[in-house]
Amino acid sequence: CPMIGCELASQSDVSRIVGTNLVVRSHPFEKNALVIDVIIKNQAKFEQPYPVVQLNFENINGDPVASRRFTPKEYISDQTIDLNSMPSNTPIHLTLEIEDPGRDAVNYQLLFLPRSDAS
């Protein structure tokens, strides 16, 4: 590729990204807000782009109550981090802040989605 000026696309396999230690708690300073802490880790043997992180809330019957997607630009504030190079086997702590979805939101789930080029 360097000889003809092409560029290879980044490898990506969001199924190899895992989240652990997910904690949802009331925001210490903002009323009607939550703070979510989670450790994410790329278990692929290669670096890959940081994913879109989706947080879903459901009621006791499993019905959706609220959902929010975070792009890497929203959850990585360090400008020196290359958003296309999530290191392999390196724990990364994320702290997300959201509006409280209410009392019906008793179950939550974190998903990792592939990024579009605009993310």
Side-chain angles (χ1 to χ4, degrees), residues 1 8 15 20 35 41 46 53 57 61 69 72 82-83 85 87-88 91 95 101 103 106 115:
C1 269
L8 294 173
S15 71
T20 59
V35 176
K41 189 174 185 181
F46 51 85
V53 175
F57 288 89
N61 298 318
R69 287 185 179 180
D82 180 356
L83 301 181
S85 295
S88 182
T95 299
R103 291 183 156 195
V106 294
R115 283 182 15 210

Side-chain angles (χ1 to χ4, degrees), residues 10-76:
S10 300
Q11 284 185 293
S12 180
D13 183 359
V14 293
S15 71
R16 301 293 299 152
I17 298 173
V18 297
T20 59
N21 301 12
L22 177 64
V23 176
V24 178
R25 58 188 162 83
S26 295
H27 197 289
F29 308 114
E30 299 293 329
K31 188 176 180 181
N32 298 319
L34 298 175
V35 176
I36 296 91
D37 286 298
V38 63
I39 304 293
I40 66 171
K41 189 174 185 181
N42 173 16
Q43 293 184 326
K45 294 184 185 212
F46 51 85
E47 291 183 356
Q48 64 176 312
Y50 283 85
V52 170
V53 175
Q54 180 170 315
L55 185 62
N56 296 329
F57 288 89
E58 298 174 342
N59 66 17
I60 197 162
N61 298 318
D63 300 320
V65 173
S67 182
R68 168 82 195 273
R69 287 185 179 180
F70 297 87
T71 66
K73 290 178 184 176
E74 293 174 297
Y75 66 78
I76 305 245

